[in-house]
Amino acid sequence: TAVANLLPAAVEADADGVPLLLLTADRPPELRETGANQTIRQPPIFQDGTGWRVDSPVPTADVPARWVLSTAAHAAHCARQQAGPVHLNLPFREPLAATPDGTETAAYLADVERWATTDAPCRSFSQLDRQSEHIDADDVDPDLIGRLSRADRGLVVVGDLGLNTRSVKAAGLRAGELGCPLLPYIRSGLRLGPAHPGTHVVPYVDLALTSRELRTRSPDAVVHLGGRLTSKRLGRYLREARPGTYVRVGPGSSRLAPDGLVTDRLRATVHDGAVALCGAASSESSHWRAVWEAASKVVGEALDLSEFSEASIADRVAGAVREEDALVVAASMPVRDVEAFASAGSASTWAVANRGASGIDGTIATAHGVARGLDGAVMVLIGDLALLHDQTSLALLREGPLVTVVVINNDGGGIFHRLPIADGPGALAAGTFERMFGTPHGLTFEHAAAQAGLAYRQPTTLETFEEALTTARQSGESTLIEVRTDRAEQTALRQRIEAQVAAAVAAALAKLDDA
C-alpha cells in the first residue's frame, strides 16, 4: 500500500498545477496478478491525474542508459510544462543488493559519458514564446478592452499567485492603473503584507461581505488574476452579482470557471495579462472605490480580538511571521480564519496552503519542505484532525530550519458547525452530528511532540500564547504549541464577531451615502 500514500499529493498537484515527479518502486511484472506478497496494480494507480506516465522495463543491460536518462529528462519536462504530476513506475527483480552479476558497467555507461562527466544535460528543451519588450492593451481583444474601459464598478480579484513577487507587483499595478478595489485571496501575497502604493486593497473583504448593504452593490466588471479563492462569501457575492464582464487571467489551458461566470479567458502569465489589461482606461467611480475601502477599514476598527479564541490565535500567528519567513496554513478553518481575521499590513507576505483539492493531508510535511526551500523559519497554523492525519511528519522537524507548529485542538471538525446540518431546520440530531461530523477523538499532542523530540507548550491565555511564540523563536528549536478550544463556543464567538462587523459596515456605508 506504500504507493497509495502518494495519491493525496498527486490529487493536490493535479488540482493546483504543481509540478510533481512520482517515482514508485515496484515488483517485477511476472509477479503481478499472481497473489505475490506486496504486489498491487501500481502502473494505473495515478492514471486519472497524471499528464504523462511510464511503466519502465526491469533494468538490464538491454535497456540503454541513454533511454533511462532521456525518460527521466522528459518526465521532468512534462511535469513543469504541464504543471502537474508525472508518474514513473520502476519495477526491479531480485537481488536488490549490489551483487555482481557479470555485467560490464563501464561499457554500458560509455553511452552517457558526456552527461556523467560534464555539466551538459542529456536533453535540452526550449519553448518558442512571443517576445515583446512592451506588452500592452493592443495584444488583447479590443472588445474586452472596450468593455473594461466602460465599467463604472470594476473589481480586481486576486487569487493564488504562488511565491511569485513579479505576479504580485503586476496585480498591484493592475489595480492601481484602473483604480479598482482589489480583493486579495490569502495566497495572493497581497492579503497580509504591506500595501502596494497606489492600489486599493480590501484586506477584510471576507468579513466586510457579512454586510447585506455591501452585498447589494454589484460590480459590472471583474478581472480575476491567478487561481481560485477560499472565501465562500466572496464566491457567493460574485455568483449572485453575475457581472457582464468577468475576465480570468492565468496560464495553461484549464477551464478555471467553476461557477460559469467567466465571459473572457486570457491565457497568459498573471504578470503579462495584468500589464496588458492596464492599458484599458477606466471610468472608475470614486464612490464605488470609497465604498469598499470604507467597508474594509471599519471592519479593522470594529474587530475585537482581545479574547483568547481561534480568531485571535490566527491573527497573532500571522502577525508573528517575519518578512523573510513564511506562514503555512492548513485547510478547513485555519486558512479561513487567517483570511478573515489576520491584521492587514503584517510583516509577512507569503501564506502557503495546500488548496488544490482542499485536502488536510501532508500539512506538516509541506511546512518542512517550505522551510527547507526558503532556508528560513516557518510558522504553521493547523487543526487537530489535520495534524492527526500527518502526525508522523513531526519527526521531519527535528532537523532543518525552525518550524513552529500551532495546533488548534477543538477535539474534532470545527468547520462542520458552520453548516446547516449543525443548526437550523435541516440540522441533524446532536448525537448524530457529533458522531458523523464532529468526530471527537479526546487526544492531545504533548506526547506526540515528545516522541518527535520537539519542544511543547500549551498556553491558556493570549499573553502566554504570545510568550510561547517568542520563546519558540528565540530558542531556535522547532516547537509544537497546542491551543485547546471548544467547537461550539468558537462557532458562537465567530457569529458574534460577524454580526458586530456587519452592523459597523452598514452604518459606515449609510454615512458615506449621505455625505
Side-chain angles (χ1 to χ4, degrees):
T1 59
V3 66
N5 289 302
L6 299 175
L7 188 56
V11 171
E12 287 287 339
D14 181 47
D16 216 13
V18 176
L20 177 67
L21 277 176
L22 298 159
L23 307 178
T24 59
D26 199 359
R27 306 300 299 279
E30 63 268 19
L31 292 183
R32 296 174 187 167
E33 309 296 345
T34 66
N37 188 38
Q38 293 189 334
T39 305
I40 66 170
R41 301 183 187 93
Q42 285 192 190
I45 197 166
F46 305 113
Q47 67 180 11
D48 289 338
T50 50
W52 194 70
R53 54 193 172 274
V54 166
D55 186 19
S56 176
V58 173
T60 70
D62 296 324
V63 180
R66 183 167 294 275
W67 179 90
V68 176
L69 283 182
S70 64
T71 299
H74 189 73
H77 172 70
C78 287
R80 291 193 301 266
Q81 186 72 11
Q82 300 168 9
V86 164
H87 180 203
L88 298 183
N89 192 62
L90 309 172
F92 296 90
R93 290 193 180 98
E94 293 184 347
L96 301 178
T99 304
D101 63 358
T103 299
E104 179 50 61
T105 56
Y108 178 76
L109 296 175
D111 191 35
V112 294
E113 182 178 3
R114 177 174 171 269
W115 170 81
T117 58
T118 71
D119 292 333
C122 66
R123 286 188 67 182
S124 296
F125 298 89
S126 55
Q127 181 175 344
L128 182 61
D129 292 323
R130 177 179 60 82
Q131 300 295 323
S132 175
E133 295 181 0
H134 180 63
I135 302 171
D136 55 30
D138 292 338
D139 299 307
V140 183
D141 181 1
D143 177 65
L144 172 57
I145 296 298
R147 280 181 278 129
L148 290 176
S149 67
R150 292 189 294 272
D152 290 322
R153 301 181 309 281
L155 290 175
V156 174
V157 177
V158 188
D160 181 22
L161 299 183
L163 300 182
N164 190 331
T165 304
R166 191 166 180 246
S167 293
V168 170
K169 290 180 178 178
L173 174 64
R174 171 72 181 102
E177 291 282 332
L178 283 184
C180 295
L182 187 153
L183 314 184
Y185 166 49
I186 190 64
R187 290 205 309 181
S188 69
L190 294 167
R191 167 62 180 88
L192 297 178
H196 292 263
T199 63
H200 305 277
V201 178
V202 183
Y204 290 112
V205 57
D206 183 79
L207 287 179
L209 285 171
T210 58
S211 166
R212 184 183 63 82
E213 286 74 10
L214 180 59
R215 296 196 303 271
T216 58
R217 304 170 192 237
S218 300
D220 52 10
V222 173
V223 174
H224 186 147
L225 303 173
R228 293 179 299 166
L229 310 171
T230 295
S231 172
K232 285 189 174 182
R233 289 193 188 96
L234 178 54
R236 187 182 306 117
Y237 168 73
L238 295 174
R239 285 195 302 273
E240 293 174 353
R242 300 202 68 84
T245 297
Y246 193 114
V247 55
R248 188 73 180 263
V249 180
S253 57
S254 300
R255 188 177 178 190
L256 299 179
D259 297 315
L261 296 175
V262 175
T263 61
D264 300 84
R265 175 76 164 86
L266 183 56
R267 282 186 60 185
T269 65
V270 169
H271 170 267
D272 288 353
V275 170
L277 291 176
C278 283
S282 174
S283 55
E284 188 70 34
S285 164
S286 59
H287 182 75
W288 171 252
R289 212 166 41 234
V291 162
W292 285 94
E293 291 177 339
S296 184
K297 180 181 179 182
V298 77
V299 169
E301 294 171 347
L303 200 54
D304 181 5
L305 298 179
S306 59
E307 188 173 342
F308 188 59
S309 67
E310 294 177 9
S312 61
I313 293 298
D315 174 54
R316 300 317 195 267
V317 166
V321 182
R322 299 183 303 189
E323 184 176 3
E324 65 271 23
D325 300 330
L327 169 66
V328 173
V329 284
S332 199
M333 286 311 301
V335 66
R336 289 171 171 83
D337 281 345
V338 171
E339 183 158 53
F341 300 112
S343 300
S346 62
S348 174
T349 299
W350 301 118
V352 180
N354 295 329
R355 298 299 296 166
S358 302
I360 63 173
D361 315 83
T363 306
I364 300 300
T366 294
H368 175 70
V370 171
R372 290 276 191 173
L374 292 179
D375 193 24
V378 167
M379 189 81 70
V380 183
L381 183 64
I382 188 171
D384 50 304
L385 295 183
L387 182 53
L388 286 171
H389 270 262
D390 198 28
Q391 186 169 303
T392 53
S393 291
L394 289 173
L396 296 172
L397 308 187
R398 290 178 295 179
E399 299 179 353
L402 172 70
V403 176
T404 302
V405 178
V406 177
V407 54
I408 303 291
N409 187 354
N410 52 29
D411 196 24
I415 195 170
F416 298 111
H417 287 263
R418 299 174 64 85
L419 301 180
I421 56 174
D423 188 25
L428 298 173
T432 301
F433 174 83
E434 273 296 278
R435 186 173 68 257
M436 303 302 294
F437 293 93
T439 60
H441 48 75
L443 301 174
T444 60
F445 295 96
E446 181 177 5
H447 296 296
Q451 184 184 42
L454 306 180
Y456 174 83
R457 302 284 186 278
Q458 188 184 332
T460 56
T461 65
L462 270 183
E463 182 180 8
T464 55
F465 176 73
E466 291 170 350
E467 290 174 356
L469 289 179
T470 301
T471 300
R473 167 72 69 181
Q474 293 174 346
S475 71
E477 297 180 334
S478 291
T479 302
L480 194 155
I481 301 174
E482 182 172 3
V483 176
R484 303 295 304 277
T485 62
D486 181 271
R487 281 182 274 123
E489 290 177 358
Q490 294 302 307
T491 299
L493 176 62
R494 287 187 182 90
Q495 291 171 346
R496 291 198 302 272
I497 292 175
E498 290 166 1
Q500 291 168 358
V501 299
V505 171
L509 296 187
K511 183 178 179 180
L512 183 65
D513 290 340
D514 292 339

